[in-house]
Amino acid sequence: MADIPLASLSLTHVHYNPHDPLSFLSAWLALVPQALCVCYVTLIWASREVEVVLMFAGQLGCEALNFVLKRIVKEERPKQMLGKGYGMPSSHAQFMAYFAVYAGLFLIYRHSPALTHSGATLHFWVRVLLALVLCIGAGAVAVSRVYLNYHTPRQILAGCCAGVVCAFSWFFVTRLLRIHGWIDWTLDLEAVRFFRVRDLVVSEDLVEAGWQRWEAKRKLKRKGARDQMSSKSE
């Protein structure tokens, strides 16, 4: 066994300067796309929301495009970087740009829960703020790739542009799917119904709706307990 050469799993094998706090932070930022993939799968399994499925499908398509573009352009990474593979465009920057822009478009233009006028206005600006935070986070991940010498600024910019184009294009496609009834048609398929896929997050604040159902259940439980105590006292 000692003579068998070992290989390193490069999926999360990030080089950084251990004496530089920013380099250490950048190494952790490099793991954000992997963490988001875990979040995607978790949300799909837990919520069964078709909008999350659509967003993840676009994310996978964006990654497939990056794979093709890298092998067409065939531009090397910075000379001081010891990693393998092509660097144009940056897959991290493209991944995060797509995620931030598509999520932002959803929050601002597609997500419309039924609220009062004042509540809707506040909720809208909260969504705008969340979209801005997502864009800042995506920018931080992109900059970290330059700081770690995995990409040049040009490769990062190309990745961001590709991700933004993918996000807008896929958001437009999914809008057409909704307008022409393809989403509803898909949700009525027996195979899709078997997995209990639904489309609530567009028109409903799932946190608020879940909280209201919980409160109603708690009130019924308290009322039942009071009625039981009253019957015993009688």
Side-chain angles (χ1 to χ4, degrees):
M1 290 294 292
D3 296 329
I4 298 177
L6 300 178
S8 172
L9 183 62
S10 60
L11 181 64
T12 59
H13 193 59
V14 183
H15 294 92
Y16 70 97
N17 180 0
H19 305 293
D20 183 356
L22 284 179
S23 182
F24 179 71
L25 175 61
S26 297
W28 278 103
L29 287 173
L31 303 180
V32 171
Q34 288 91 332
L36 287 176
C37 285
V38 174
C39 291
Y40 269 125
V41 175
T42 303
L43 281 173
I44 290 172
W45 179 256
S47 70
R48 311 299 173 96
E49 282 290 331
V50 68
E51 186 64 32
V52 183
V53 176
L54 290 172
M55 185 175 175
F56 189 41
Q59 190 82 71
L60 294 178
C62 185
E63 285 298 288
L65 176 63
N66 180 268
F67 181 86
V68 172
L69 289 177
K70 280 188 174 181
R71 280 145 188 82
I72 292 175
V73 179
K74 295 183 178 180
E75 182 173 299
E76 299 296 330
R77 295 177 184 270
K79 297 298 181 183
Q80 61 269 42
M81 216 293 289
L82 302 176
K84 300 178 181 179
Y86 300 116
M88 172 66 87
S90 165
S91 59
H92 277 72
Q94 187 169 329
F95 185 105
M96 293 304 301
Y98 168 88
F99 176 81
V101 173
Y102 189 97
L105 289 172
F106 168 77
L107 288 170
I108 296 173
Y109 294 106
R110 184 169 292 171
H111 184 48
S112 56
L115 300 169
T116 62
H117 178 71
S118 59
T121 302
L122 176 62
H123 198 268
F124 172 78
W125 287 112
V126 170
R127 300 200 305 268
V128 171
L129 179 61
L130 285 174
L132 180 61
V133 170
L134 289 174
C135 289
I136 293 173
V141 173
V143 171
S144 73
R145 303 303 287 170
V146 177
Y147 194 82
L148 292 174
N149 295 315
Y150 275 84
H151 292 284
T152 64
R154 193 165 69 102
Q155 293 170 352
I156 290 296
L157 181 60
C160 288
C161 290
V164 170
V165 170
C166 285
F168 273 98
S169 300
W170 186 238
F171 191 81
F172 178 72
V173 170
T174 56
R175 181 175 181 273
L176 291 180
L177 292 176
R178 288 185 175 279
I179 290 175
H180 294 288
W182 286 103
I183 300 297
D184 291 334
W185 178 82
T186 303
L187 292 175
D188 286 334
L189 295 175
E190 286 300 323
V192 178
R193 288 177 57 83
F194 174 79
F195 288 102
R196 299 174 182 261
V197 180
R198 51 186 177 265
D199 190 24
L200 288 175
V201 71
V202 172
S203 57
E204 185 174 312
D205 187 333
L206 297 184
V207 175
E208 181 63 25
W211 174 255
Q212 290 174 359
R213 286 193 292 270
W214 166 250
E215 283 290 277
K217 183 179 179 179
R218 294 281 290 176
K219 286 180 181 178
L220 286 174
K221 187 176 180 179
R222 294 191 190 101
K223 183 177 183 298
R226 287 196 300 267
D227 292 344
Q228 186 176 10
M229 291 179 63
S230 298
S231 62
K232 287 182 178 180
S233 62
E234 293 174 359

